[in-house]
Amino acid sequence: MKSAYNGLLVIVVIVTVLALGNLIITIDKVGTLTGHLTETGTANLTIESVADISFVVSNINWQSGRVDEANSSATLDSEGTLTDGNWTQVSEGLRLRNNGNVNVSLNLTTSNGAAGFIGGTNPTYKLKLVENETGSCAGILGFNTTYQDAPESTSTSACTIFEFVDVRDYLNIEVEVVIPEDALAGAKGSIITATATAI
Amino acid sequence: MVNNKLIVVLLVITILLSVVTIGVTIGLNVEKPEQINPVNLIDVNQGNVGFTIESTSENGETG
């Protein structure tokens, strides 16, 4: 009977030692992971990614005018061009800035095309993108170099990597329209929608 | 009889150590990663283009 007690005592001692060892190892690991058992503190914070674009210049308006009597159409753009018509010259296009803290892909779409926007015979409605700050589009810039047809109701890639860094986060969207002489009189308008998706 | 008391004491110590170990483990301050809010990852903005065409004889109006 006494030897049985001794055997049980040995087992209990072993279990106690194992439990003590387990506790020591756990405390040691906790100290390593969090610094709870060291003299250093840990400060944690999380910065959320936010896609945020805004039009610094959101409106182009050539005001009221007509095609010159001797011409079949007038050409207007947001870079100062005004030929064969008496609208008001516009020298500044839409200005789009990436105000967020993350690079984004940029898509553009327009609420209508040339026919719906202007009407008449062979109207044109085109866009062109230009970097206002060099390097603003680190990826592929769409609608670049020359004016290209407005993307009516079709979201089209304008910049695959639109940067957010302050010195390069600024794009110009220039607009060109050709107004035929037979386009119906009245107010004409188009909405350009820019969609930014964080990448 | 001495062994009996020793065994009981050791068992109590073992149980206490286990409870403390569990407490320390539960006390681990493991923070969950911040959930990304998908609403923040897309932004849409709009600009406007416009003009007015005056009436002329060419566009079917008086002019």
Side-chain angles (χ1 to χ4, degrees):
Chain A
M1 194 67 179
K2 188 176 181 181
S3 65
Y5 274 123
N6 286 338
L8 187 57
L9 179 59
V10 169
I11 292 171
V12 169
V13 169
I14 292 171
V15 169
T16 304
V17 170
L18 287 175
L20 186 60
N22 184 26
L23 177 61
I24 292 170
I25 291 171
T26 301
I27 290 173
D28 182 59
K29 293 292 183 186
V30 169
T32 302
L33 288 172
T34 68
H36 287 172
L37 298 183
T38 70
E39 294 178 355
T40 58
T42 303
N44 294 316
L45 60 86
T46 301
I47 299 176
E48 290 184 348
S49 296
V50 178
D52 180 10
I53 56 169
S54 66
F55 279 101
V56 177
V57 177
S58 62
N59 195 46
I60 295 172
N61 192 341
W62 287 283
Q63 304 297 331
S64 185
R66 63 174 67 186
V67 178
D68 290 344
E69 187 74 24
N71 300 101
S72 59
S73 66
T75 300
L76 292 66
D77 71 30
S78 57
E79 297 177 288
T81 299
L82 173 54
T83 59
D84 304 329
N86 67 341
W87 282 271
T88 301
Q89 192 178 45
V90 172
S91 300
E92 185 178 48
L94 303 177
R95 301 289 186 257
L96 187 64
R97 174 170 281 154
N98 183 354
N99 290 327
N101 60 3
V102 63
N103 293 341
V104 298
S105 63
L106 178 68
N107 279 40
L108 295 179
T109 184
T110 57
S111 59
N112 42 26
F117 177 22
I118 304 167
T121 304
N122 298 323
T124 67
Y125 173 29
K126 296 184 176 183
L127 308 181
K128 182 173 72 174
L129 258 66
V130 180
E131 289 181 327
N132 189 300
E133 295 171 337
T134 303
S136 295
C137 184
I140 300 169
L141 185 66
F143 302 97
N144 63 342
T145 311
T146 58
Y147 282 101
Q148 297 173 31
D149 287 335
E152 178 187 5
S153 304
T154 302
S155 187
T156 302
S157 178
C159 176
T160 53
I161 305 173
F162 185 13
E163 295 253 1
F164 71 93
V165 180
D166 269 349
V167 295
R168 52 178 188 276
D169 62 350
Y170 208 10
L171 293 173
N172 298 349
I173 302 174
E174 307 295 352
V175 179
E176 179 193 72
V177 294
V178 173
I179 305 169
E181 62 179 347
D182 60 349
L184 292 179
K188 310 289 180 177
S190 181
I191 298 170
I192 297 176
T193 301
T195 303
T197 305
I199 53 177
Chain B
M1 290 303 105
V2 173
N3 281 351
N4 275 349
K5 289 181 181 175
L6 185 58
I7 288 170
V8 170
V9 169
L10 288 174
L11 282 174
V12 169
I13 292 172
T14 305
I15 291 169
L16 288 176
L17 286 173
S18 298
V19 169
V20 171
T21 303
I22 292 170
V24 169
T25 305
I26 291 173
L28 264 175
N29 186 21
V30 180
E31 295 180 3
K32 293 179 180 177
E34 187 81 15
Q35 292 290 319
I36 296 173
N37 182 1
V39 173
N40 292 338
L41 301 182
I42 296 178
D43 191 31
V44 178
N45 226 305
Q46 293 183 325
N48 299 290
V49 181
F51 58 88
T52 299
I53 300 176
E54 297 173 353
S55 299
T56 67
S57 57
E58 273 75 18
N59 61 20
E61 306 291 340
T62 57

